[in-house]
């Protein structure tokens, strides 16, 4: 564990009652596998009822957030400033790019990756590389970026760009 890590903190779990947000007690703890490295200023929240689990040989960069009830498989890598919301499951041998995030209760299959700054809002199938927001298979995301660029050039050439003042 590098300096500044916080392991086992209360996660962001609330329930609203009569207009007030109340903490849901989280007593599940944290389990960290063998030969796992957690970078500086990273945070791993404890689980609500069952432990938050990080597998063996994981590599977690600096300023990474692993929220309550997350389950991380062996040999998974988190680049700096990435994060998992509550109850996310990540398979074995996965890679999460810098500043990428997975929304609550989403899943990531074995041998998959999420590109830098991508936002996963659903399931990532095994053996898949996802990019962009919302995250899509890499080839589709690259086509979308290229098409948007061509569309902007076409509108600029024809003088049909929208007026931002309108």
């Amino acid at each position: 564990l590098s300096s500044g890590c916080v392991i086992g903190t209360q996660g962001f779990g609330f329930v609203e009652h009569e207009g007030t947000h109340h903490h849901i007690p989280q007593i599940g703890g944290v389990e960290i596998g063998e030969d796992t490295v957690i970078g500086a200023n990273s945070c791993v929240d404890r689980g609500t009822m069952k432990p938050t689990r990080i597998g063996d040989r994981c590599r977690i960069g600096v300023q990474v957030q692993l929220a309550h009830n997350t389950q991380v498989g062996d040999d998974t890598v988190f680049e700096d400033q990435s994060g998992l919301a509550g109850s996310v499951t990540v398979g074995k041998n996965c890679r999460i790019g810098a500043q990428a995030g997975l929304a609550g209760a989403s899943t990531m299959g074995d041998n998959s990756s999420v590109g830098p700054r991508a936002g996963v809002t659903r399931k990532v199938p095994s053996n898949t590389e996802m990019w962009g927001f919302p995250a899509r298979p890499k080839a589709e995301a690259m086509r979308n970026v290229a098409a948007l660029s061509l569309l902007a050039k076409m509108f600029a050439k024809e003088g049909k760009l929208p007026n931002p003042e309108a």
Side-chain angles (χ1 to χ4, degrees):
L1 302 179
S2 297
S3 63
C5 286
V6 179
I7 307 298
T9 188
Q10 173 82 21
F12 190 77
F14 295 91
V15 63
E16 184 179 346
H17 178 70
E18 297 178 359
T20 302
H21 291 76
H22 301 276
H23 253 295
I24 297 170
Q26 294 172 340
I27 58 173
V30 174
E31 293 178 1
I32 300 172
E34 292 183 27
D35 192 30
T36 288
V37 176
I38 301 178
N41 299 318
S42 292
C43 183
V44 181
D45 297 342
R46 64 182 178 264
T48 304
M49 298 299 285
K50 297 186 285 185
T52 295
R53 288 192 174 97
I54 303 171
D56 296 335
R57 299 170 305 283
C58 291
R59 302 296 181 249
I60 300 172
V62 301
Q63 297 180 333
V64 173
Q65 166 67 35
L66 301 181
H68 63 283
N69 303 325
T70 55
Q71 307 293 306
V72 177
D74 297 341
D75 302 302
T76 291
V77 174
F78 291 84
E79 292 182 14
D80 297 347
Q81 296 183 334
S82 58
L84 304 180
S87 301
V88 170
T89 301
V90 176
K92 296 177 181 178
N93 196 37
C94 292
R95 183 179 192 99
I96 293 86
Q99 297 183 339
L102 282 80
S106 55
T107 60
M108 191 169 170
D110 294 343
N111 307 306
S112 295
S113 67
V114 175
R117 302 193 78 190
V120 174
T121 59
R122 56 190 166 100
K123 181 178 181 177
V124 176
S126 294
N127 306 304
T128 303
E129 189 172 4
M130 304 286 274
W131 283 64
F133 184 85
R136 303 199 181 294
K138 184 179 180 182
E140 179 183 343
M142 294 301 143
R143 279 193 305 272
N144 290 348
V145 169
L148 186 59
S149 176
L150 291 173
L151 186 62
K153 288 176 186 175
M154 181 183 76
F155 277 112
K157 184 177 179 180
E158 296 177 12
K160 294 182 180 179
L161 284 175
N163 182 354
E165 303 289 321

PDB file of all heavy atoms in Angstrom, residues 32-71:
ATOM      1  N   ILE A  32      -8.037  -8.033   0.315  1.00  0.00           N
ATOM      2  CA  ILE A  32      -7.061  -7.714  -0.718  1.00  0.00           C
ATOM      3  C   ILE A  32      -6.200  -8.942  -0.952  1.00  0.00           C
ATOM      4  O   ILE A  32      -5.618  -9.492  -0.017  1.00  0.00           O
ATOM      5  CB  ILE A  32      -6.196  -6.506  -0.298  1.00  0.00           C
ATOM      6  CG1 ILE A  32      -7.087  -5.275  -0.082  1.00  0.00           C
ATOM      7  CG2 ILE A  32      -5.127  -6.225  -1.353  1.00  0.00           C
ATOM      8  CD1 ILE A  32      -6.361  -4.090   0.505  1.00  0.00           C
ATOM      9  N   GLY A  33      -6.104  -9.374  -2.215  1.00  0.00           N
ATOM     10  CA  GLY A  33      -5.353 -10.574  -2.562  1.00  0.00           C
ATOM     11  C   GLY A  33      -3.851 -10.400  -2.446  1.00  0.00           C
ATOM     12  O   GLY A  33      -3.330  -9.298  -2.244  1.00  0.00           O
ATOM     13  N   GLU A  34      -3.143 -11.515  -2.618  1.00  0.00           N
ATOM     14  CA  GLU A  34      -1.691 -11.531  -2.517  1.00  0.00           C
ATOM     15  C   GLU A  34      -1.042 -10.773  -3.668  1.00  0.00           C
ATOM     16  O   GLU A  34      -1.540 -10.790  -4.792  1.00  0.00           O
ATOM     17  CB  GLU A  34      -1.192 -12.982  -2.522  1.00  0.00           C
ATOM     18  CG  GLU A  34      -1.587 -13.750  -1.275  1.00  0.00           C
ATOM     19  CD  GLU A  34      -1.013 -15.157  -1.279  1.00  0.00           C
ATOM     20  OE1 GLU A  34       0.038 -15.376  -1.909  1.00  0.00           O
ATOM     21  OE2 GLU A  34      -1.628 -16.024  -0.653  1.00  0.00           O
ATOM     22  N   ASP A  35       0.090 -10.130  -3.369  1.00  0.00           N
ATOM     23  CA  ASP A  35       0.912  -9.420  -4.347  1.00  0.00           C
ATOM     24  C   ASP A  35       0.125  -8.344  -5.099  1.00  0.00           C
ATOM     25  O   ASP A  35       0.390  -8.059  -6.260  1.00  0.00           O
ATOM     26  CB  ASP A  35       1.555 -10.408  -5.325  1.00  0.00           C
ATOM     27  CG  ASP A  35       2.649  -9.753  -6.164  1.00  0.00           C
ATOM     28  OD1 ASP A  35       3.285  -8.809  -5.673  1.00  0.00           O
ATOM     29  OD2 ASP A  35       2.824 -10.174  -7.324  1.00  0.00           O
ATOM     30  N   THR A  36      -0.859  -7.748  -4.457  1.00  0.00           N
ATOM     31  CA  THR A  36      -1.610  -6.638  -5.040  1.00  0.00           C
ATOM     32  C   THR A  36      -0.973  -5.335  -4.587  1.00  0.00           C
ATOM     33  O   THR A  36      -0.588  -5.195  -3.429  1.00  0.00           O
ATOM     34  CB  THR A  36      -3.095  -6.709  -4.626  1.00  0.00           C
ATOM     35  OG1 THR A  36      -3.692  -7.796  -5.339  1.00  0.00           O
ATOM     36  CG2 THR A  36      -3.842  -5.434  -4.941  1.00  0.00           C
ATOM     37  N   VAL A  37      -0.842  -4.375  -5.510  1.00  0.00           N
ATOM     38  CA  VAL A  37      -0.232  -3.089  -5.234  1.00  0.00           C
ATOM     39  C   VAL A  37      -1.291  -2.009  -5.380  1.00  0.00           C
ATOM     40  O   VAL A  37      -1.998  -1.962  -6.392  1.00  0.00           O
ATOM     41  CB  VAL A  37       0.935  -2.804  -6.211  1.00  0.00           C
ATOM     42  CG1 VAL A  37       1.516  -1.421  -5.994  1.00  0.00           C
ATOM     43  CG2 VAL A  37       2.001  -3.874  -6.090  1.00  0.00           C
ATOM     44  N   ILE A  38      -1.404  -1.139  -4.375  1.00  0.00           N
ATOM     45  CA  ILE A  38      -2.374  -0.046  -4.413  1.00  0.00           C
ATOM     46  C   ILE A  38      -1.612   1.270  -4.302  1.00  0.00           C
ATOM     47  O   ILE A  38      -0.869   1.495  -3.356  1.00  0.00           O
ATOM     48  CB  ILE A  38      -3.422  -0.181  -3.287  1.00  0.00           C
ATOM     49  CG1 ILE A  38      -4.159  -1.525  -3.438  1.00  0.00           C
ATOM     50  CG2 ILE A  38      -4.398   0.988  -3.325  1.00  0.00           C
ATOM     51  CD1 ILE A  38      -5.187  -1.799  -2.362  1.00  0.00           C
ATOM     52  N   GLY A  39      -1.798   2.147  -5.295  1.00  0.00           N
ATOM     53  CA  GLY A  39      -1.067   3.397  -5.395  1.00  0.00           C
ATOM     54  C   GLY A  39      -1.513   4.453  -4.403  1.00  0.00           C
ATOM     55  O   GLY A  39      -2.564   4.351  -3.753  1.00  0.00           O
ATOM     56  N   ALA A  40      -0.714   5.509  -4.326  1.00  0.00           N
ATOM     57  CA  ALA A  40      -0.922   6.596  -3.368  1.00  0.00           C
ATOM     58  C   ALA A  40      -2.293   7.243  -3.520  1.00  0.00           C
ATOM     59  O   ALA A  40      -2.806   7.394  -4.626  1.00  0.00           O
ATOM     60  CB  ALA A  40       0.165   7.654  -3.548  1.00  0.00           C
ATOM     61  N   ASN A  41      -2.878   7.578  -2.368  1.00  0.00           N
ATOM     62  CA  ASN A  41      -4.138   8.311  -2.293  1.00  0.00           C
ATOM     63  C   ASN A  41      -5.318   7.588  -2.943  1.00  0.00           C
ATOM     64  O   ASN A  41      -6.279   8.224  -3.361  1.00  0.00           O
ATOM     65  CB  ASN A  41      -3.988   9.721  -2.875  1.00  0.00           C
ATOM     66  CG  ASN A  41      -2.970  10.524  -2.110  1.00  0.00           C
ATOM     67  OD1 ASN A  41      -2.930  10.489  -0.884  1.00  0.00           O
ATOM     68  ND2 ASN A  41      -2.121  11.229  -2.825  1.00  0.00           N
ATOM     69  N   SER A  42      -5.240   6.289  -3.035  1.00  0.00           N
ATOM     70  CA  SER A  42      -6.360   5.502  -3.536  1.00  0.00           C
ATOM     71  C   SER A  42      -7.268   5.131  -2.372  1.00  0.00           C
ATOM     72  O   SER A  42      -6.849   5.136  -1.217  1.00  0.00           O
ATOM     73  CB  SER A  42      -5.869   4.240  -4.249  1.00  0.00           C
ATOM     74  OG  SER A  42      -5.207   4.603  -5.440  1.00  0.00           O
ATOM     75  N   CYS A  43      -8.515   4.808  -2.687  1.00  0.00           N
ATOM     76  CA  CYS A  43      -9.495   4.525  -1.643  1.00  0.00           C
ATOM     77  C   CYS A  43     -10.277   3.272  -2.000  1.00  0.00           C
ATOM     78  O   CYS A  43     -10.744   3.126  -3.130  1.00  0.00           O
ATOM     79  CB  CYS A  43     -10.436   5.712  -1.506  1.00  0.00           C
ATOM     80  SG  CYS A  43     -11.636   5.530  -0.193  1.00  0.00           S
ATOM     81  N   VAL A  44     -10.411   2.370  -1.043  1.00  0.00           N
ATOM     82  CA  VAL A  44     -11.208   1.157  -1.206  1.00  0.00           C
ATOM     83  C   VAL A  44     -12.243   1.145  -0.086  1.00  0.00           C
ATOM     84  O   VAL A  44     -11.891   1.044   1.093  1.00  0.00           O
ATOM     85  CB  VAL A  44     -10.332  -0.113  -1.143  1.00  0.00           C
ATOM     86  CG1 VAL A  44     -11.185  -1.358  -1.339  1.00  0.00           C
ATOM     87  CG2 VAL A  44      -9.202  -0.053  -2.169  1.00  0.00           C
ATOM     88  N   ASP A  45     -13.505   1.272  -0.455  1.00  0.00           N
ATOM     89  CA  ASP A  45     -14.583   1.294   0.538  1.00  0.00           C
ATOM     90  C   ASP A  45     -14.939  -0.114   0.976  1.00  0.00           C
ATOM     91  O   ASP A  45     -14.899  -1.053   0.176  1.00  0.00           O
ATOM     92  CB  ASP A  45     -15.840   1.936  -0.050  1.00  0.00           C
ATOM     93  CG  ASP A  45     -15.647   3.387  -0.433  1.00  0.00           C
ATOM     94  OD1 ASP A  45     -14.683   4.009   0.048  1.00  0.00           O
ATOM     95  OD2 ASP A  45     -16.481   3.900  -1.204  1.00  0.00           O
ATOM     96  N   ARG A  46     -15.333  -0.251   2.228  1.00  0.00           N
ATOM     97  CA  ARG A  46     -15.762  -1.559   2.723  1.00  0.00           C
ATOM     98  C   ARG A  46     -17.147  -1.888   2.176  1.00  0.00           C
ATOM     99  O   ARG A  46     -17.934  -1.011   1.813  1.00  0.00           O
ATOM    100  CB  ARG A  46     -15.752  -1.590   4.241  1.00  0.00           C
ATOM    101  CG  ARG A  46     -16.714  -0.642   4.913  1.00  0.00           C
ATOM    102  CD  ARG A  46     -16.555  -0.743   6.453  1.00  0.00           C
ATOM    103  NE  ARG A  46     -17.420   0.188   7.139  1.00  0.00           N
ATOM    104  CZ  ARG A  46     -17.066   1.383   7.581  1.00  0.00           C
ATOM    105  NH1 ARG A  46     -15.833   1.814   7.377  1.00  0.00           N
ATOM    106  NH2 ARG A  46     -17.924   2.153   8.212  1.00  0.00           N
ATOM    107  N   GLY A  47     -17.444  -3.176   2.124  1.00  0.00           N
ATOM    108  CA  GLY A  47     -18.730  -3.632   1.635  1.00  0.00           C
ATOM    109  C   GLY A  47     -19.854  -3.394   2.629  1.00  0.00           C
ATOM    110  O   GLY A  47     -19.619  -3.171   3.819  1.00  0.00           O
ATOM    111  N   THR A  48     -21.070  -3.458   2.126  1.00  0.00           N
ATOM    112  CA  THR A  48     -22.228  -3.246   2.990  1.00  0.00           C
ATOM    113  C   THR A  48     -22.430  -4.444   3.911  1.00  0.00           C
ATOM    114  O   THR A  48     -22.423  -4.299   5.127  1.00  0.00           O
ATOM    115  CB  THR A  48     -23.489  -2.999   2.143  1.00  0.00           C
ATOM    116  OG1 THR A  48     -23.236  -1.884   1.279  1.00  0.00           O
ATOM    117  CG2 THR A  48     -24.687  -2.690   3.019  1.00  0.00           C
ATOM    118  N   MET A  49     -22.606  -5.623   3.344  1.00  0.00           N
ATOM    119  CA  MET A  49     -22.778  -6.839   4.146  1.00  0.00           C
ATOM    120  C   MET A  49     -21.646  -7.832   3.906  1.00  0.00           C
ATOM    121  O   MET A  49     -21.205  -8.503   4.816  1.00  0.00           O
ATOM    122  CB  MET A  49     -24.118  -7.504   3.815  1.00  0.00           C
ATOM    123  CG  MET A  49     -25.329  -6.637   4.141  1.00  0.00           C
ATOM    124  SD  MET A  49     -25.453  -6.220   5.881  1.00  0.00           S
ATOM    125  CE  MET A  49     -26.028  -7.745   6.558  1.00  0.00           C
ATOM    126  N   LYS A  50     -21.193  -7.930   2.644  1.00  0.00           N
ATOM    127  CA  LYS A  50     -20.079  -8.804   2.284  1.00  0.00           C
ATOM    128  C   LYS A  50     -18.874  -7.928   1.963  1.00  0.00           C
ATOM    129  O   LYS A  50     -19.028  -6.754   1.653  1.00  0.00           O
ATOM    130  CB  LYS A  50     -20.442  -9.659   1.061  1.00  0.00           C
ATOM    131  CG  LYS A  50     -21.605 -10.610   1.305  1.00  0.00           C
ATOM    132  CD  LYS A  50     -21.833 -11.521   0.122  1.00  0.00           C
ATOM    133  CE  LYS A  50     -22.484 -10.757  -1.001  1.00  0.00           C
ATOM    134  NZ  LYS A  50     -22.856 -11.578  -2.152  1.00  0.00           N
ATOM    135  N   PRO A  51     -17.680  -8.493   2.013  1.00  0.00           N
ATOM    136  CA  PRO A  51     -16.492  -7.668   1.770  1.00  0.00           C
ATOM    137  C   PRO A  51     -16.365  -7.175   0.329  1.00  0.00           C
ATOM    138  O   PRO A  51     -16.776  -7.856  -0.604  1.00  0.00           O
ATOM    139  CB  PRO A  51     -15.325  -8.591   2.096  1.00  0.00           C
ATOM    140  CG  PRO A  51     -15.876  -9.864   2.562  1.00  0.00           C
ATOM    141  CD  PRO A  51     -17.351  -9.860   2.372  1.00  0.00           C
ATOM    142  N   THR A  52     -15.780  -5.996   0.188  1.00  0.00           N
ATOM    143  CA  THR A  52     -15.258  -5.556  -1.093  1.00  0.00           C
ATOM    144  C   THR A  52     -14.027  -6.421  -1.331  1.00  0.00           C
ATOM    145  O   THR A  52     -13.211  -6.603  -0.426  1.00  0.00           O
ATOM    146  CB  THR A  52     -14.877  -4.062  -1.017  1.00  0.00           C
ATOM    147  OG1 THR A  52     -16.065  -3.308  -0.800  1.00  0.00           O
ATOM    148  CG2 THR A  52     -14.162  -3.609  -2.261  1.00  0.00           C
ATOM    149  N   ARG A  53     -13.871  -6.980  -2.541  1.00  0.00           N
ATOM    150  CA  ARG A  53     -12.771  -7.921  -2.795  1.00  0.00           C
ATOM    151  C   ARG A  53     -11.909  -7.461  -3.967  1.00  0.00           C
ATOM    152  O   ARG A  53     -12.426  -7.105  -5.015  1.00  0.00           O
ATOM    153  CB  ARG A  53     -13.314  -9.303  -3.104  1.00  0.00           C
ATOM    154  CG  ARG A  53     -13.898 -10.006  -1.919  1.00  0.00           C
ATOM    155  CD  ARG A  53     -14.162 -11.490  -2.225  1.00  0.00           C
ATOM    156  NE  ARG A  53     -14.592 -12.175  -1.036  1.00  0.00           N
ATOM    157  CZ  ARG A  53     -15.868 -12.414  -0.721  1.00  0.00           C
ATOM    158  NH1 ARG A  53     -16.817 -12.013  -1.525  1.00  0.00           N
ATOM    159  NH2 ARG A  53     -16.169 -13.050   0.380  1.00  0.00           N
ATOM    160  N   ILE A  54     -10.596  -7.526  -3.771  1.00  0.00           N
ATOM    161  CA  ILE A  54      -9.614  -7.271  -4.822  1.00  0.00           C
ATOM    162  C   ILE A  54      -8.772  -8.531  -4.934  1.00  0.00           C
ATOM    163  O   ILE A  54      -8.239  -9.015  -3.942  1.00  0.00           O
ATOM    164  CB  ILE A  54      -8.719  -6.065  -4.475  1.00  0.00           C
ATOM    165  CG1 ILE A  54      -9.577  -4.820  -4.240  1.00  0.00           C
ATOM    166  CG2 ILE A  54      -7.701  -5.819  -5.579  1.00  0.00           C
ATOM    167  CD1 ILE A  54      -8.795  -3.654  -3.678  1.00  0.00           C
ATOM    168  N   GLY A  55      -8.670  -9.063  -6.154  1.00  0.00           N
ATOM    169  CA  GLY A  55      -7.979 -10.327  -6.361  1.00  0.00           C
ATOM    170  C   GLY A  55      -6.467 -10.243  -6.218  1.00  0.00           C
ATOM    171  O   GLY A  55      -5.898  -9.216  -5.854  1.00  0.00           O
ATOM    172  N   ASP A  56      -5.817 -11.348  -6.532  1.00  0.00           N
ATOM    173  CA  ASP A  56      -4.362 -11.465  -6.464  1.00  0.00           C
ATOM    174  C   ASP A  56      -3.705 -10.735  -7.642  1.00  0.00           C
ATOM    175  O   ASP A  56      -4.260 -10.676  -8.738  1.00  0.00           O
ATOM    176  CB  ASP A  56      -3.940 -12.934  -6.519  1.00  0.00           C
ATOM    177  CG  ASP A  56      -4.428 -13.738  -5.328  1.00  0.00           C
ATOM    178  OD1 ASP A  56      -4.669 -13.142  -4.263  1.00  0.00           O
ATOM    179  OD2 ASP A  56      -4.583 -14.970  -5.477  1.00  0.00           O
ATOM    180  N   ARG A  57      -2.509 -10.216  -7.382  1.00  0.00           N
ATOM    181  CA  ARG A  57      -1.640  -9.610  -8.403  1.00  0.00           C
ATOM    182  C   ARG A  57      -2.280  -8.440  -9.149  1.00  0.00           C
ATOM    183  O   ARG A  57      -1.956  -8.161 -10.304  1.00  0.00           O
ATOM    184  CB  ARG A  57      -1.142 -10.665  -9.402  1.00  0.00           C
ATOM    185  CG  ARG A  57      -0.310 -11.764  -8.761  1.00  0.00           C
ATOM    186  CD  ARG A  57      -0.037 -12.901  -9.723  1.00  0.00           C
ATOM    187  NE  ARG A  57      -1.243 -13.480 -10.303  1.00  0.00           N
ATOM    188  CZ  ARG A  57      -2.074 -14.328  -9.678  1.00  0.00           C
ATOM    189  NH1 ARG A  57      -1.810 -14.727  -8.451  1.00  0.00           N
ATOM    190  NH2 ARG A  57      -3.147 -14.801 -10.292  1.00  0.00           N
ATOM    191  N   CYS A  58      -3.187  -7.727  -8.524  1.00  0.00           N
ATOM    192  CA  CYS A  58      -3.788  -6.543  -9.138  1.00  0.00           C
ATOM    193  C   CYS A  58      -2.837  -5.369  -9.004  1.00  0.00           C
ATOM    194  O   CYS A  58      -2.052  -5.291  -8.057  1.00  0.00           O
ATOM    195  CB  CYS A  58      -5.129  -6.214  -8.486  1.00  0.00           C
ATOM    196  SG  CYS A  58      -6.400  -7.442  -8.849  1.00  0.00           S
ATOM    197  N   ARG A  59      -2.901  -4.455  -9.933  1.00  0.00           N
ATOM    198  CA  ARG A  59      -2.091  -3.245  -9.919  1.00  0.00           C
ATOM    199  C   ARG A  59      -3.046  -2.067  -9.987  1.00  0.00           C
ATOM    200  O   ARG A  59      -3.755  -1.885 -10.977  1.00  0.00           O
ATOM    201  CB  ARG A  59      -1.120  -3.213 -11.099  1.00  0.00           C
ATOM    202  CG  ARG A  59      -0.162  -4.414 -11.145  1.00  0.00           C
ATOM    203  CD  ARG A  59       0.762  -4.420  -9.931  1.00  0.00           C
ATOM    204  NE  ARG A  59       1.678  -5.532  -9.960  1.00  0.00           N
ATOM    205  CZ  ARG A  59       1.629  -6.570  -9.118  1.00  0.00           C
ATOM    206  NH1 ARG A  59       0.670  -6.645  -8.201  1.00  0.00           N
ATOM    207  NH2 ARG A  59       2.522  -7.533  -9.187  1.00  0.00           N
ATOM    208  N   ILE A  60      -3.047  -1.272  -8.933  1.00  0.00           N
ATOM    209  CA  ILE A  60      -3.975  -0.153  -8.805  1.00  0.00           C
ATOM    210  C   ILE A  60      -3.162   1.124  -8.723  1.00  0.00           C
ATOM    211  O   ILE A  60      -2.332   1.275  -7.827  1.00  0.00           O
ATOM    212  CB  ILE A  60      -4.878  -0.349  -7.571  1.00  0.00           C
ATOM    213  CG1 ILE A  60      -5.678  -1.642  -7.738  1.00  0.00           C
ATOM    214  CG2 ILE A  60      -5.786   0.857  -7.371  1.00  0.00           C
ATOM    215  CD1 ILE A  60      -6.464  -2.068  -6.525  1.00  0.00           C
ATOM    216  N   GLY A  61      -3.396   2.048  -9.653  1.00  0.00           N
ATOM    217  CA  GLY A  61      -2.633   3.289  -9.734  1.00  0.00           C
ATOM    218  C   GLY A  61      -2.984   4.272  -8.633  1.00  0.00           C
ATOM    219  O   GLY A  61      -3.690   3.950  -7.678  1.00  0.00           O
ATOM    220  N   VAL A  62      -2.501   5.500  -8.798  1.00  0.00           N
ATOM    221  CA  VAL A  62      -2.748   6.540  -7.796  1.00  0.00           C
ATOM    222  C   VAL A  62      -4.130   7.158  -7.997  1.00  0.00           C
ATOM    223  O   VAL A  62      -4.652   7.199  -9.098  1.00  0.00           O
ATOM    224  CB  VAL A  62      -1.656   7.638  -7.824  1.00  0.00           C
ATOM    225  CG1 VAL A  62      -0.286   7.030  -7.551  1.00  0.00           C
ATOM    226  CG2 VAL A  62      -1.659   8.394  -9.127  1.00  0.00           C
ATOM    227  N   GLN A  63      -4.711   7.591  -6.890  1.00  0.00           N
ATOM    228  CA  GLN A  63      -6.012   8.258  -6.863  1.00  0.00           C
ATOM    229  C   GLN A  63      -7.112   7.441  -7.536  1.00  0.00           C
ATOM    230  O   GLN A  63      -7.904   7.953  -8.322  1.00  0.00           O
ATOM    231  CB  GLN A  63      -5.917   9.649  -7.487  1.00  0.00           C
ATOM    232  CG  GLN A  63      -4.998  10.569  -6.728  1.00  0.00           C
ATOM    233  CD  GLN A  63      -4.903  11.940  -7.336  1.00  0.00           C
ATOM    234  OE1 GLN A  63      -5.101  12.118  -8.536  1.00  0.00           O
ATOM    235  NE2 GLN A  63      -4.593  12.920  -6.515  1.00  0.00           N
ATOM    236  N   VAL A  64      -7.153   6.171  -7.218  1.00  0.00           N
ATOM    237  CA  VAL A  64      -8.184   5.271  -7.745  1.00  0.00           C
ATOM    238  C   VAL A  64      -9.239   5.052  -6.670  1.00  0.00           C
ATOM    239  O   VAL A  64      -8.906   4.897  -5.490  1.00  0.00           O
ATOM    240  CB  VAL A  64      -7.557   3.926  -8.189  1.00  0.00           C
ATOM    241  CG1 VAL A  64      -8.622   2.908  -8.569  1.00  0.00           C
ATOM    242  CG2 VAL A  64      -6.596   4.157  -9.347  1.00  0.00           C
ATOM    243  N   GLN A  65     -10.506   5.031  -7.060  1.00  0.00           N
ATOM    244  CA  GLN A  65     -11.620   4.800  -6.145  1.00  0.00           C
ATOM    245  C   GLN A  65     -12.267   3.457  -6.460  1.00  0.00           C
ATOM    246  O   GLN A  65     -12.703   3.229  -7.587  1.00  0.00           O
ATOM    247  CB  GLN A  65     -12.664   5.915  -6.288  1.00  0.00           C
ATOM    248  CG  GLN A  65     -14.001   5.616  -5.637  1.00  0.00           C
ATOM    249  CD  GLN A  65     -13.916   5.550  -4.117  1.00  0.00           C
ATOM    250  OE1 GLN A  65     -13.155   6.284  -3.504  1.00  0.00           O
ATOM    251  NE2 GLN A  65     -14.705   4.686  -3.514  1.00  0.00           N
ATOM    252  N   LEU A  66     -12.305   2.568  -5.480  1.00  0.00           N
ATOM    253  CA  LEU A  66     -13.035   1.303  -5.596  1.00  0.00           C
ATOM    254  C   LEU A  66     -14.131   1.352  -4.536  1.00  0.00           C
ATOM    255  O   LEU A  66     -13.862   1.235  -3.342  1.00  0.00           O
ATOM    256  CB  LEU A  66     -12.104   0.109  -5.386  1.00  0.00           C
ATOM    257  CG  LEU A  66     -10.917   0.016  -6.354  1.00  0.00           C
ATOM    258  CD1 LEU A  66     -10.092  -1.227  -6.064  1.00  0.00           C
ATOM    259  CD2 LEU A  66     -11.365   0.039  -7.795  1.00  0.00           C
ATOM    260  N   ALA A  67     -15.353   1.532  -4.970  1.00  0.00           N
ATOM    261  CA  ALA A  67     -16.468   1.758  -4.057  1.00  0.00           C
ATOM    262  C   ALA A  67     -16.928   0.467  -3.383  1.00  0.00           C
ATOM    263  O   ALA A  67     -16.469  -0.633  -3.706  1.00  0.00           O
ATOM    264  CB  ALA A  67     -17.627   2.407  -4.801  1.00  0.00           C
ATOM    265  N   HIS A  68     -17.868   0.624  -2.453  1.00  0.00           N
ATOM    266  CA  HIS A  68     -18.371  -0.488  -1.654  1.00  0.00           C
ATOM    267  C   HIS A  68     -18.962  -1.600  -2.530  1.00  0.00           C
ATOM    268  O   HIS A  68     -19.542  -1.341  -3.570  1.00  0.00           O
ATOM    269  CB  HIS A  68     -19.416   0.013  -0.645  1.00  0.00           C
ATOM    270  CG  HIS A  68     -20.631   0.609  -1.279  1.00  0.00           C
ATOM    271  ND1 HIS A  68     -20.630   1.878  -1.813  1.00  0.00           N
ATOM    272  CD2 HIS A  68     -21.857   0.115  -1.477  1.00  0.00           C
ATOM    273  CE1 HIS A  68     -21.826   2.130  -2.300  1.00  0.00           C
ATOM    274  NE2 HIS A  68     -22.591   1.072  -2.119  1.00  0.00           N
ATOM    275  N   ASN A  69     -18.737  -2.821  -2.072  1.00  0.00           N
ATOM    276  CA  ASN A  69     -19.261  -4.051  -2.693  1.00  0.00           C
ATOM    277  C   ASN A  69     -18.641  -4.386  -4.043  1.00  0.00           C
ATOM    278  O   ASN A  69     -19.130  -5.275  -4.731  1.00  0.00           O
ATOM    279  CB  ASN A  69     -20.789  -3.987  -2.857  1.00  0.00           C
ATOM    280  CG  ASN A  69     -21.496  -3.749  -1.557  1.00  0.00           C
ATOM    281  OD1 ASN A  69     -21.075  -4.222  -0.505  1.00  0.00           O
ATOM    282  ND2 ASN A  69     -22.567  -2.980  -1.602  1.00  0.00           N
ATOM    283  N   THR A  70     -17.574  -3.705  -4.455  1.00  0.00           N
ATOM    284  CA  THR A  70     -16.958  -4.051  -5.730  1.00  0.00           C
ATOM    285  C   THR A  70     -16.201  -5.373  -5.604  1.00  0.00           C
ATOM    286  O   THR A  70     -15.707  -5.735  -4.540  1.00  0.00           O
ATOM    287  CB  THR A  70     -16.015  -2.943  -6.239  1.00  0.00           C
ATOM    288  OG1 THR A  70     -15.044  -2.659  -5.246  1.00  0.00           O
ATOM    289  CG2 THR A  70     -16.778  -1.679  -6.572  1.00  0.00           C
ATOM    290  N   GLN A  71     -16.141  -6.081  -6.716  1.00  0.00           N
ATOM    291  CA  GLN A  71     -15.453  -7.368  -6.796  1.00  0.00           C
ATOM    292  C   GLN A  71     -14.504  -7.289  -7.987  1.00  0.00           C
ATOM    293  O   GLN A  71     -14.947  -7.070  -9.113  1.00  0.00           O
ATOM    294  CB  GLN A  71     -16.457  -8.508  -7.010  1.00  0.00           C
ATOM    295  CG  GLN A  71     -17.589  -8.549  -5.994  1.00  0.00           C
ATOM    296  CD  GLN A  71     -17.100  -8.893  -4.596  1.00  0.00           C
ATOM    297  OE1 GLN A  71     -16.430  -9.895  -4.398  1.00  0.00           O
ATOM    298  NE2 GLN A  71     -17.437  -8.050  -3.637  1.00  0.00           N
TER     299      GLN A  71
END
